Amino acid sequence: CGDVPQQIRAPSGVITSPGWPLGYPAMMNCSWYIRANPGEIITISFKDFDVQGSHQCSSDWLTVGAYKSIEDYRACGPSIPKPYISSQNHIWIKFHTDDSVTGKGFRLSYVTGKPEEPSCDWYQFHCANGKCIPDTWKCNTLDECGDNSDEEPCERAIPPTAFFQPCDYDQFQCLSRYTRIYTCLPESLKCDRNIDCLDLEDEIDCDIPSYVEKLKNFFGAFSSPNYPDYYPPGSNCTWLIDTGDRRKVILRFTDFKLDGTGYGDYVKVYDGLEENPRRLLRVLTAFDTRAPVTLVSSSGQIRVHFFADKVNAARGFNATYQVDGFCLPWEIPCGGNWGCYTEQQRCDGYWHCPNGRDETNCTLCQKDEFPCSRNGVCYPRSDRCNYQNHCPNGSDEKNCFVCQPGNFHCKNNRCVFESWVCDSQDDCGDGSDEENCPVIVPTRVITAAVIGSLICGLLLVIALGCTCKLYSLRMFERRSFETQLSRVEAELLRREAPPSYGQLIAQGLIPPVEDFPVCSASQVCKIKFTIRYF
């Protein structure tokens, strides 16, 4: 939280308020910016929500919108907001708190994907409108599909009826996890850390596994309680890895399957032994089932915290760790500090060593050649990582630790042409080719501006020409009119106006006429008309 928003590019994940579920601090402003691949949309599903309520959510609030300054909706209070489905490949999430009462906070899950897919992965549900959502979102009373196809029809667990045959004194009633019908199980199966009941009746009120385990070797492995069977609900375990070496620790989750119902189960990995939110490397949830997941610390210490609610359970996880550059007993060193590889990774067509030691001197290829995976085709070093597929399956362009000259090395170990860097297109797939780029106006915008300027300039020249021509014609007509009028005016000015008829009679120049008024030049004459009737 702060002035800089958290940039999120992962295809799925979980976002929680600071301090969740123990309560969020006051006077905070947090923001998250989620960006998906072009052509994809983002779906948000709130799993837990407890934010201070107020009129129009003016005290504490959470907003979601496609733009930083525009919010699509604002939420507060104890009710879980409805799912949000974006119309673009990016969204903004903002969380604000004032200096008064606080609440438990919020927890939301998000996934990215195309609006329509012909098929979905095995762990996903295919909506009627073609959208793919996590299978755990089905039948949770929330419309994440957008057409409610994930909520109808949904089969609910049928509670035991009054006609159910009672169990013996040394048995208990259970909705069997295997047959999915109510049956009687021995009391000895209760609290044995093995889930036998679909409703968790045999493990729900047992002692909660809660412990802290310290791991101090250069390498090792650990797993969730009762792995590979279901972990007990309510598990709360911590592993403190302290290798005693300054080199980084590589943590790999080789198998990962958590439950996503209820409040949700999670694994938090910290860079160091302290539970410091600022050093949180990642939060793994039910949406991170695509193992393996690899995390790297900045030192020789890592803290792993596993929490499970009491609502449901799953298989759990298995993890290994090792010091960076230290090879396990069953691994072969690449040489120097370039890592290790196993015998199964030898000559498999994929580089596991940056120097390619695991792919050299393979029997199928000649000297200084490397094999493609599966096809038996070989290629020279010059065809390695040049953004040109030499292998039919493109294995020569995967795991690129170094790119050929004229190519850019992406953070996800892909190579793209250098001319594609900072062209406003995500060619790497992780956006690394567009990072730290100066603000440059795209070429198409410059071209459109130049063409528009030329057209506007041409229209301006035409308008000026027409204006000048019209002005010339107007001036010519005015000069002609002024010349004729001046002659007439000069002639009229030289002449005196003739006297009126009354003035001529008054001066005696003409005889008077009957009934014609006689007046001087300074008098006002009144005309008298005589109407004669015939």
Side-chain angles (χ1 to χ4, degrees):
C1 297
D3 297 334
V4 180
Q6 181 179 352
Q7 305 281 339
I8 301 177
R9 295 297 301 270
S12 63
V14 175
I15 298 176
T16 62
S17 57
W20 187 90
L22 302 179
Y24 54 84
M27 300 295 293
M28 294 194 67
N29 286 290
C30 309
S31 58
W32 298 265
Y33 178 67
I34 305 176
R35 187 176 184 87
N37 295 324
E40 295 183 344
I41 61 175
I42 304 170
T43 304
I44 290 180
S45 180
F46 289 90
K47 304 305 177 183
D48 192 61
F49 198 86
D50 181 20
V51 177
Q52 176 193 2
S54 60
H55 178 64
Q56 295 183 349
C57 295
S58 58
S59 298
D60 297 354
W61 45 260
L62 182 140
T63 61
V64 182
Y67 299 97
K68 186 176 182 180
S69 57
I70 301 177
E71 59 186 56
D72 290 344
Y73 74 80
R74 175 179 294 205
C76 65
S79 301
I80 295 182
K82 63 180 181 180
Y84 175 83
I85 303 175
S86 70
S87 59
Q88 303 187 39
N89 68 328
H90 56 84
I91 61 170
W92 283 86
I93 302 175
K94 294 183 179 181
F95 181 55
H96 167 79
T97 66
D98 60 7
D99 57 352
S100 58
V101 182
T102 62
K104 179 180 177 181
F106 69 87
R107 183 176 67 91
L108 62 87
S109 304
Y110 78 90
V111 294
T112 63
K114 294 183 178 180
E116 296 183 9
E117 292 283 1
S119 61
C120 300
D121 293 332
W122 62 270
Y123 56 88
Q124 293 178 325
F125 172 76
H126 200 190
C127 304
N129 56 13
K131 182 181 174 183
C132 295
I133 63 172
D135 191 63
T136 55
W137 288 6
K138 184 181 177 182
C139 297
N140 62 351
T141 70
L142 300 174
D143 180 17
E144 286 96 353
C145 281
D147 58 359
N148 206 41
S149 58
D150 56 324
E151 298 301 318
E152 52 184 22
C154 289
E155 297 181 0
R156 308 297 179 183
I158 303 175
T161 63
F163 303 100
F164 181 77
Q165 184 177 0
C167 300
D168 295 337
Y169 72 94
D170 59 347
Q171 294 180 335
F172 66 97
Q173 185 174 290
C174 172
L175 179 60
S176 176
R177 166 187 163 193
Y178 307 100
T179 62
R180 296 184 181 272
I181 61 174
Y182 281 93
T183 184
C184 294
L185 296 179
E187 286 284 346
S188 59
L189 296 180
K190 275 192 173 184
C191 299
D192 62 349
R193 295 192 176 183
N194 290 316
I195 297 178
D196 301 292
C197 300
L198 193 62
D199 54 4
L200 308 181
E201 184 65 29
D202 57 327
E203 303 293 330
I204 198 67
D205 295 324
C206 306
D207 294 335
I208 299 175
S210 179
Y211 55 82
V212 177
E213 184 179 354
K214 296 182 179 180
L215 306 173
K216 296 185 177 181
N217 296 326
F218 272 27
F219 68 95
F222 60 94
S223 59
S224 57
N226 208 34
Y227 178 85
D229 204 349
Y230 281 21
Y231 51 80
S235 299
N236 190 2
C237 308
T238 302
W239 294 268
L240 301 178
I241 303 175
D242 188 0
T243 62
D245 194 286
R246 295 183 178 180
R247 289 177 290 181
K248 301 177 181 179
V249 177
I250 301 176
L251 177 65
R252 293 185 178 92
F253 289 90
T254 57
D255 187 20
F256 197 89
K257 177 63 176 179
L258 298 185
D259 172 63
T261 60
Y263 291 113
D265 307 341
Y266 62 82
V267 174
K268 290 185 178 181
V269 182
Y270 296 89
D271 188 2
L273 300 180
E274 301 296 329
E275 193 172 356
N276 187 351
R278 295 184 178 180
R279 305 196 67 182
L280 181 64
L281 289 177
R282 189 167 176 180
V283 179
L284 302 175
T285 63
F287 304 106
D288 298 288
T289 56
R290 286 176 274 188
V293 178
T294 302
L295 301 174
V296 181
S297 68
S298 61
S299 64
Q301 297 177 335
I302 282 185
R303 181 188 184 98
V304 181
H305 179 216
F306 168 56
F307 171 80
D309 59 26
K310 295 184 178 181
V311 178
N312 214 329
R315 182 174 66 247
F317 64 87
N318 183 51
T320 63
Y321 73 92
Q322 67 184 90
V323 174
D324 188 17
F326 178 81
C327 296
L328 301 175
W330 56 86
E331 293 181 332
I332 306 171
C334 294
N337 294 323
W338 288 348
C340 316
Y341 66 95
T342 62
E343 189 63 35
Q344 291 77 14
Q345 295 172 342
R346 169 77 175 156
C347 295
D348 63 349
Y350 297 98
W351 284 34
H352 302 280
C353 297
N355 58 357
R357 185 174 180 178
D358 58 314
E359 300 299 319
T360 56
N361 300 325
C362 296
T363 56
L364 299 176
C365 301
Q366 298 180 1
K367 187 179 180 180
D368 297 331
E369 286 188 344
F370 306 97
C372 300
S373 63
R374 300 181 182 179
N375 301 293
V377 181
C378 300
Y379 62 91
R381 183 181 293 271
S382 58
D383 286 337
R384 167 78 180 165
C385 296
N386 61 352
Y387 202 68
Q388 300 292 327
N389 286 342
H390 185 84
C391 296
N393 60 352
S395 58
D396 57 317
E397 298 299 320
K398 297 181 179 179
N399 293 355
C400 294
F401 302 95
V402 179
C403 298
Q404 294 287 352
N407 289 266
F408 173 78
H409 186 216
C410 306
K411 290 183 178 180
N412 58 1
N413 283 337
R414 291 183 60 190
C415 298
V416 298
F417 296 128
E418 287 184 349
S419 59
W420 291 0
V421 178
C422 296
D423 63 347
S424 301
Q425 299 291 332
D426 183 11
D427 303 297
C428 286
D430 60 356
S432 56
D433 59 318
E434 300 300 321
E435 294 179 355
N436 303 322
C437 294
V439 180
I440 300 177
V441 180
T443 305
R444 57 179 178 271
V445 177
I446 297 177
T447 304
V450 171
I451 295 175
S453 301
L454 292 176
I455 294 175
C456 292
L458 180 60
L459 294 175
L460 181 61
V461 171
I462 295 174
L464 290 175
C466 295
T467 303
C468 294
K469 183 64 175 178
L470 181 61
Y471 179 77
S472 176
L473 294 175
R474 292 283 186 179
M475 291 301 297
F476 178 77
E477 294 178 356
R478 182 177 180 181
R479 285 195 299 269
S480 300
F481 177 77
E482 288 181 350
T483 302
Q484 296 175 2
L485 185 63
S486 60
R487 294 176 181 175
V488 173
E489 289 179 347
E491 184 178 354
L492 292 175
L493 290 174
R494 288 195 298 268
R495 297 178 181 179
E496 293 182 358
S500 63
Y501 194 65
Q503 291 176 346
L504 293 177
I505 296 175
Q507 294 176 3
L509 297 178
I510 60 174
V513 181
E514 184 181 3
D515 294 334
F516 194 88
V518 178
C519 57
S520 61
S522 59
Q523 293 178 336
V524 178
C525 297
K526 294 183 180 180
I527 303 175
K528 179 179 179 182
F529 294 94
T530 302
I531 301 176
R532 297 179 180 181
Y533 296 93
F534 298 93

